[in-house]
Amino acid sequence: MCGIFGLITKKQDVPVARLIREGLQRLEYRGYDSAGVALVNDGNIELHKEKGKIVDINKNGALDNLKGNFGVGHTRWATHGPPTAANSHPHMDCKGEIAVVHNGIIENFQELRRKLTERGHEFKSETDTEVIPHLIEERIAEGDDLKTAVMNAVKVLEGAFGIVVCHAHTPDYMVVARRESPLTIGITPGETTYCGSDIPAFLPLTRNAYILDDDEIAILKPGEVDIFTLDGERVERDYITVQWSIDAAEKGGYDYFMHKELHEVPQKVREQVRMPQENIDAFARTIMEAEHVYITAAGTAFYACLAGKFQVTRFGKIYIQAILCSEFRDALEDAIPENSVVIAVSQSGETADTVEAVRYAREKFNAKVCSVVNVVGSSLTRYSDHVIITTAGPEIAVASQKAYNTQVTALTMVALRIAELKGYLDKEEVQKYKQAALKVADVCDEIIENEDHIKILAEKYAKKPNFYFLARGVSLAAACEGALKLKEISYNHAEAYAAGESKHGPIALVEDGFPIVFIAPPDSTYDRLIGNVMEMKARGGIILSVVSKDDEKIKELSDDIIPIPHDDDPYIIRLSAVMYVFPLQILAYFAAVHNGFDPDKPRNLAKSVTVK
Ligand code: AGP
């Protein structure tokens, strides 16, 4: 996720650069590791971009002092290439006449970059975005005007994009285009036109907004907008008038960031599956070549480790020892053998215990480190031999949810790559699993469409003081994460256990009305789970089960169910980890709201625990 803001106006004496910088600052919740602005000024592009937050970049007016009567800015959340000036947007063509800002992921950028390089184009960054201005440059060299050049250029892009394009020698308009990544247009008719990745960018300036649909392009003139399909057909669409407050707009109209971010999960999972992770191969091979593999993290990230390690064992037949990062040194007590690998998972990449664990393993035992991290350039990435960047984007809510789901998806992609390299799965099988992983995102979309049912259950159970979350196999990770979510934002006491373990003590707590959540995908653990459900029910437990929409046996034993709308397809069933935890994250959100708590800012918690 990145923040984009641009404007073009016929008003005179407008501080265009300052308005763009202010618009970007309203979008810094979408990304803040670097920023830049480009203005068209009398046949030239005036550009300034740097690593860091906008307030620091602009401390001597470096952005506000740019001259020009229209242009665009970008505040970045790095996915390809660390946060540096070169990698920050806007990106330019060879001649420095075309400025492009982009939000999204170009999946085929390596191939495009290779071909452009062969044709003599020179690149200055490591980003996927930089291929776009060079593609447009070629089209213009062949005689296209800017609008046609952008139309033709984006047709060869695969993946998600929201872009804004300015050309030094096209002084009367700029072009925007989008596919999957959001892009909105604001307008003061007859005077000024704005564009932004979210409505908050221009809300203080106008409440009139056009929403672009996928594969649409728009020509922005001062106070005038023309929308077309990528095939050039004109689209007749009126603007809407936005009623949101600024705060509500930052949350995309949601009451809380957490709800907005939960609704981003399907798209983020798709992007994670499609992420051209050149590192997945190196990550997989490093694990395969090691004699001992550990996986470590804290909190929600640790439960992603549990799901991920299960998938690596299931698909790659490699056993991984999971150790909480705060326990890492004590658990291993100098006993890390030669040729070890530590996998570390972290949303922030700054969790002190996680960073300390990998530094200990690396510096004292020469262990290799493979990390799954959401923040490019974070501390953990600097101690890692291989890094997989999750596609979650900035996660504002303290309680992690979209990061968790992309972490599990990333580790599943590694597991599939190991299976392929070891010959357990052929290319066709791996492709079937990747298609199933994309279907997981569709299932999550359907869960969202039916979330009112989860809301009703959340409100029904929200006041219960104690819960068990029970599961077997890979679903134990979902049980742990579901219990943590309920604990950390709704403040209900909740414990997760291996269902088979519950009769070795925990069942003593069960009495009439005690709620037990079972996570029960139709996998190899299902039949054994039925007995655990019956044990709890026999002692008065209230059974809330997360089951397949076609489930019958456990459904019959349950007081309430959350149906997961997937087919009876062995491929998708073996990827149940995200589908079966997702409704539990939603359940916790609605329980917290029903109990009158702020799910974005739970008491006593911090987004990143940078102390040991
Ligand atoms: C997130 O829901 C939790 N509040 C917390 O446990 C978090 O997962 C943990 O602190 C690890 O953070 P990290 O992923 O940034 O390393």
Side-chain angles (χ1 to χ4, degrees), residues 298-301 346-348 351 398-400 485 488 609:
T300 284
S346 176
Q347 187 286 129
S348 63
T351 296
V398 166
S400 182
K485 273 299 149 300
E488 64 178 339
V609 181

Side-chain angles (χ1 to χ4, degrees), residues 546-566:
V546 185
V547 292
S548 156
K549 65 180 169 51
D550 303 322
D551 185 282
E552 290 176 1
K553 293 177 187 171
I554 290 181
K555 179 179 175 181
E556 280 305 305
L557 295 167
S558 303
D559 297 271
D560 289 295
I561 66 161
I562 299 176
I564 308 300
H566 64 74

